[in-house]
Amino acid sequence: MANSSSISEFLLLVLADTRQLQLLHFWLLLGIYLAALLGNGLISTAVACHHRLHSPMDFFLLNLALLDLGCISTTLPKAMANALWDTRDISYAGCVAQNFLFVFLISAEYCILTIMSYDRYVAICKPLHYGTSMDSRACATMAAAAWATGALFALLHTANTFSLPLCQGNAVDQFFCEIPQILQLSCSKSYLREFGLIVLSAHVFFGCFAFILFSYVQIFRAVLRMPSEQGRHKGFSMCLPHVIVVSLFLSTVVFAHLKPFSISSPFLDLMVAILYSVVPPTLNPVIYGMRNKEIKHALNQVLQHAISQLQECARLPHIVPCGRSLYFMYV
């Protein structure tokens, strides 16, 4: 039997058996990846460069977009490379890094989503205290705490998972290095320490979920008590994008890790992993871009500015190099 000290690489799940399907998967994943990069990149650019998008919610939206960019960039590039080159291996160090980054980014994203629910709660239920409760220092502190919490969870889970003796080979039944799949390679009864960490993480997860739920119960009560229909519509519109994003995130993560063993299969596990690791980072910028008028307006300005710069570059290529023109577009 193999052990962790003798494993130099892991074998990831093959997405398809035939070369034609592998190439099809490559182009499909590439399209999804480019869409996620474009959407989250536009959101990040709009929030960072547009002078009207400097509210606390916009600041947290920038953090969310950066986390989504990192999350999808942790899993898809390696899967695309394996599909393109007809390989399935990933080095031991690469597997450790992928596992750490994924846990770090998805944990920090959940913390950011929890903080965003608090932001909506203060904005609607305690508007007079919003300026003091959500000032720039408080927002920076909460965002830093979210990133630090994600890093701490990732460090604990990764260090503990890869310190276990692995006696069941090196084939991972997933398209990226995921903790449950690594644990299946460990020796019997050697995963009890990681089980303790998972229980701790579950308590934190449900604690954040209870906080989000409590916040929105208070928010909906406050909105329904508003006398004007316009005020109620504005209140619901402020919360709807975040509610959709949180629902998408929680539903995919919960189903991935709490689905009954009786319906588990390699194909279903793969589809569920794609749902919670690929779909939310791709759809989040679409949800916020479509539902937030200020974000939509800023994105239109960014795109129009970029198009005008490209047109100017095409007319005057010998005077203004396109690369420099686009680089200094927002400086």
Side-chain angles (χ1 to χ4, degrees):
M1 290 189 297
N3 56 53
S4 56
S5 62
S6 64
I7 293 177
S8 60
E9 64 180 20
F10 291 92
L11 300 178
L12 299 176
L13 183 67
V14 177
L15 296 178
D17 297 329
T18 63
R19 187 62 185 150
Q20 291 79 6
L21 285 178
Q22 287 177 343
L23 293 176
L24 177 62
H25 284 141
F26 166 76
W27 289 111
L28 179 62
L29 294 178
L30 179 61
I32 295 173
Y33 184 55
L34 292 178
L37 290 183
L38 178 62
N40 288 289
L42 286 174
I43 291 287
S44 302
T45 302
V47 174
C49 301
H50 201 279
H51 66 279
R52 294 180 60 186
L53 297 178
H54 289 163
S55 69
M57 193 62 172
D58 298 324
F59 171 71
F60 295 129
L61 182 57
L62 173 61
N63 281 264
L64 183 66
L66 294 176
L67 289 168
D68 282 335
L69 278 173
C71 187
I72 201 166
S73 297
T74 300
T75 57
L76 280 197
K78 183 58 179 177
M80 289 188 296
N82 285 348
L84 180 63
W85 303 112
D86 191 19
T87 59
R88 57 179 299 199
D89 59 287
I90 182 173
S91 66
Y92 187 91
C95 187
V96 173
Q98 192 178 62
N99 183 89
F100 174 84
L101 289 173
F102 185 75
V103 176
F104 162 49
L105 294 166
I106 205 154
S107 300
E109 180 167 341
Y110 187 43
C111 293
I112 289 292
L113 290 173
T114 304
I115 294 170
M116 291 170 78
S117 69
Y118 175 71
D119 173 83
R120 296 297 83 189
Y121 166 75
V122 177
I124 293 177
C125 298
K126 299 181 179 181
L128 298 179
H129 298 86
Y130 188 76
T132 55
S133 299
M134 302 300 296
D135 59 8
S136 58
R137 183 175 181 179
C139 291
T141 301
M142 287 187 285
W147 287 76
T149 301
L152 177 62
F153 272 98
L155 181 63
L156 291 175
H157 282 289
T158 303
N160 192 64
T161 298
F162 287 92
S163 67
L164 300 175
L166 306 179
C167 307
Q168 308 295 327
N170 65 338
V172 180
D173 291 331
Q174 193 53 269
F175 75 100
F176 68 97
C177 287
E178 191 181 28
I179 287 180
Q181 305 300 330
I182 300 296
L183 291 179
Q184 291 182 10
L185 305 178
S186 63
C187 302
S188 59
K189 298 183 180 180
S190 61
Y191 53 83
L192 292 180
R193 288 180 302 170
E194 177 62 21
F195 180 76
L197 281 176
I198 291 175
V199 171
L200 174 62
S201 300
H203 280 85
V204 175
F205 178 88
F206 286 109
C208 291
F209 174 73
F211 182 84
I212 294 173
L213 189 62
F214 172 80
S215 298
Y216 273 102
V217 168
Q218 299 301 315
I219 288 171
F220 291 147
R221 288 178 60 186
V223 170
L224 292 174
R225 286 199 299 263
M226 292 180 179
S228 67
E229 183 178 350
Q230 183 179 2
R232 292 193 296 270
H233 177 74
K234 183 178 179 181
F236 284 123
S237 297
M238 289 175 61
C239 300
L240 185 59
H242 182 255
V243 170
I244 296 174
V245 169
V246 169
S247 301
L248 179 65
F249 180 88
L250 291 179
S251 60
T252 53
V253 170
V254 168
F255 184 74
H257 294 94
L258 297 182
K259 65 181 184 301
F261 288 106
S262 58
I263 65 171
S264 181
S265 67
F267 177 78
L268 180 61
D269 292 343
L270 174 63
M271 292 297 101
V272 170
I274 290 176
L275 276 178
Y276 86 89
S277 65
V278 174
V279 173
T282 306
L283 292 184
N284 286 350
V286 176
I287 295 170
Y288 274 103
M290 293 297 292
R291 297 298 308 178
N292 191 310
K293 293 182 179 179
E294 290 187 353
I295 290 290
K296 189 188 299 185
H297 178 69
L299 289 177
N300 287 334
Q301 287 190 333
V302 170
L303 291 174
Q304 290 174 3
H305 200 167
I307 291 172
S308 65
Q309 289 292 325
L310 289 173
Q311 291 174 344
E312 184 177 351
C313 287
R315 289 195 302 267
L316 303 170
H318 61 287
I319 298 177
V320 183
C322 289
R324 290 183 60 191
S325 176
L326 290 176
Y327 178 78
F328 291 106
M329 186 165 59
Y330 292 105
V331 176

